[in-house]
Amino acid sequence: MGRFDVGMVGIGYAGLPLAVALARAGNDVVGFDIDPERVGAVNDGRSPVDTVTDAEVHALDGRLSASTDPAVLADSAVIVVCAPTPVNGDTPDLEPLTRAVETVAGRLRPGQLVIVESTTHPGTTDGLLQPILERTGLRAGTDFHLAYSPERIDPGNTAYRIGNTPRVVGGLTAACAERAAEFYRQVTEVHVTRGLREAEAAKILENTYRQINIALVNEFSQLCHGMGIDVWDTVAAASTKPYGFHTFWPGAGVGGHCIPADPLYLIHHAGTLGMSFQMAETAHRVNEGMPLWVADRIAKDIEQSGVPVSEATVLLLGVTYKANTDDTRHTPAVPIARALTERGATVLCHDPYADGLSWPGGRVEAVPDLAAALAEADVSVLLQRHDRFDMDLIGRARRLFDTTGSVRTERSVLL
């Protein structure tokens, strides 16, 4: 078995883009993943996620490989952990991350650099993960280096990639931080924090900032609706101010892994310390309630058109959590579909990135023929404006409920 410059634990949405960038910079990278389909795709020169193209994987001339055998990590100078950190309900679940670090500990050797990229609450790396690694008898900061650098991947956003997105790096010691910073400088700029916990807190602050501002404009949109005010025109007007205002647009809800989940890690951790994070808690409640408010508005719009909701066909357009990605994690389309289904409506969907939509006890079937589906649906609901959508065709829907502010016709209703 050959030696590798980098061992990437997890080659999904976050891990694979970094693995590709590092391989492109001249490193020999091996991705360890428990999913054999992902591993097989990478070894065949294909990308298993939409944050990386097939062409990018294929062009690496053998510098990137993948394996389901964790033994490859022992021959890596640097090990980067990109394990998921999900939530169960509102409770953080660190088990996937701790299992990944236990796997690393089983192959840890002196001189290695271990970097954690998974989003988590401050104190996880040195308080939870460091002891796991030190069960080997090796000491962090002495026998091996330990650092934290949160991933900054924005699926569907082609403007910002690894190379033009600065990295935040925190180390257990100054030497740990500098070695990790030198590692990331191969592919992008680096900002070094005072320690591990500042780097951990920075990622949650970034996503909480977005959560709070999205909640602000989502709740504001509800007020505007009640007052008969065009929220889209209002936000556009406020956006002309060249200072002191950053534009956020309302939508059907907040999805994906980061924004709905990451602030919960800090909310939960603050609670264990007898503190609260009230701004984030309020924002979470507002954004979690937005899909149900949207579903209620859709139902009322159907009734006002003279069709009982129980007899209506609703077509959801764009069921991924954001535009131009195939990621359906925490998509607001699910609670909207569930709420309408529970009222008796027939709910269908069309999305060039998703083959239907499922949840425990329910499913929305995808319809391939957009024109025919638009003609048959009592109301079509635009949830995401994918670049691959024919907006002119969508604009000719019998009735359109637009949560994106994109289509203004006599037959459209805006959020």
Side-chain angles (χ1 to χ4, degrees):
M1 186 177 295
R3 296 185 64 82
F4 299 98
D5 298 314
V6 183
M8 187 71 56
V9 180
I11 48 175
Y13 284 95
L16 190 59
L18 179 59
V20 168
L22 290 166
R24 192 182 294 129
N27 296 275
D28 289 322
V29 183
V30 62
F32 164 70
D33 203 293
I34 60 175
D35 184 342
E37 292 187 6
R38 269 187 195 166
V39 168
V42 169
N43 288 333
D44 289 341
R46 296 179 289 109
S47 173
V49 295
D50 69 354
T51 47
V52 173
T53 66
D54 288 351
E56 287 174 315
V57 176
H58 188 71
L60 295 175
D61 297 325
R63 286 198 173 275
L64 174 63
S65 59
S67 177
T68 57
D69 184 358
V72 297
L73 301 176
D75 294 313
S76 302
V78 181
I79 299 175
V80 183
V81 180
C82 293
T85 46
V87 293
N88 293 324
D90 288 346
T91 304
D93 181 8
L94 287 171
E95 185 177 351
L97 176 57
T98 56
R99 285 203 310 264
V101 173
E102 286 168 355
T103 298
V104 172
R107 281 81 192 170
L108 191 65
R109 60 178 175 80
Q112 286 181 313
L113 165 63
V114 178
I115 304 172
V116 178
E117 288 207 357
S118 307
T119 303
T120 184
H121 66 76
T124 301
T125 304
D126 60 340
L128 176 64
L129 305 181
Q130 181 183 343
I132 293 174
L133 295 169
E134 290 185 339
R135 290 174 194 163
T136 60
L138 300 176
R139 291 291 170 260
T142 302
D143 301 311
F144 67 95
H145 291 93
L146 180 62
Y148 180 83
S149 180
E151 57 87 7
R152 281 175 164 173
I153 298 295
D154 189 9
N157 186 346
T158 58
Y160 290 99
R161 307 292 295 273
I162 293 288
N164 63 351
T165 304
R167 273 279 172 172
V168 170
V169 173
L172 180 66
T173 66
C176 292
E178 181 50 38
R179 185 170 172 197
E182 182 181 5
F183 170 73
Y184 284 110
R185 287 188 188 111
Q186 297 177 88
V187 294
T188 191
E189 297 179 7
V190 173
H191 175 89
V192 179
T193 59
R194 293 175 64 91
L196 291 168
R197 298 188 178 195
E198 287 77 11
E200 291 169 326
K203 175 58 187 290
I204 293 184
L205 175 61
E206 293 169 15
N207 288 331
T208 302
Y209 169 84
R210 294 172 65 194
Q211 169 87 298
I212 288 171
N213 281 279
I214 292 170
L216 169 64
V217 77
N218 276 343
E219 190 168 34
F220 182 68
S221 72
Q222 297 179 28
L223 292 175
C224 285
H225 174 67
M227 298 176 182
I229 297 170
D230 188 321
V231 67
W232 305 97
D233 191 56
T234 303
V235 174
S239 299
T240 63
K241 187 177 182 181
Y243 58 90
F245 185 86
H246 187 82
T247 305
F248 286 81
W249 297 99
V254 176
H257 167 71
C258 292
I259 299 177
D262 293 351
L264 293 174
Y265 274 76
L266 192 52
I267 291 171
H268 184 268
H269 187 57
T272 66
L273 301 175
M275 298 185 290
S276 64
F277 194 6
Q278 295 181 29
M279 190 76 75
E281 292 171 6
T282 300
H284 178 70
R285 286 196 300 270
V286 169
N287 286 331
E288 286 291 289
M290 192 65 180
L292 297 181
W293 183 78
V294 169
D296 188 59
R297 282 214 39 206
I298 295 168
K300 289 179 179 177
D301 186 66
I302 293 171
E303 292 169 352
Q304 289 172 1
S305 70
V307 179
V309 176
S310 60
E311 299 177 10
T313 297
V314 181
L315 175 65
L316 303 182
L317 301 171
V319 295
T320 59
Y321 89 88
K322 67 177 296 189
N324 305 320
T325 177
D326 65 2
D327 195 344
T328 59
R329 290 178 295 177
H330 207 90
T331 173
V334 167
I336 291 172
R338 290 185 66 169
L340 292 172
T341 299
E342 289 170 358
R343 297 187 188 201
T346 298
V347 182
L348 304 172
C349 72
H350 177 84
D351 193 314
Y353 295 94
D355 182 17
L357 190 68
S358 298
W359 63 89
R363 176 169 175 79
V364 171
E365 296 297 334
V367 289
D369 189 334
L370 176 58
L374 289 168
E376 294 176 8
D378 294 289
V379 62
S380 299
V381 182
L382 183 60
L383 297 177
Q384 300 297 344
R385 182 172 178 168
H386 295 309
D387 290 343
R388 291 166 59 182
F389 272 155
D390 183 340
M391 296 304 298
D392 290 335
L393 178 59
I394 290 173
R396 296 195 291 272
R398 291 173 57 192
R399 182 73 171 170
L400 181 66
F401 188 95
D402 181 9
T403 72
T404 72
S406 304
V407 182
R408 292 178 181 267
T409 70
E410 292 181 357
R411 297 188 301 276
S412 67
V413 175
L414 298 184
L415 182 69

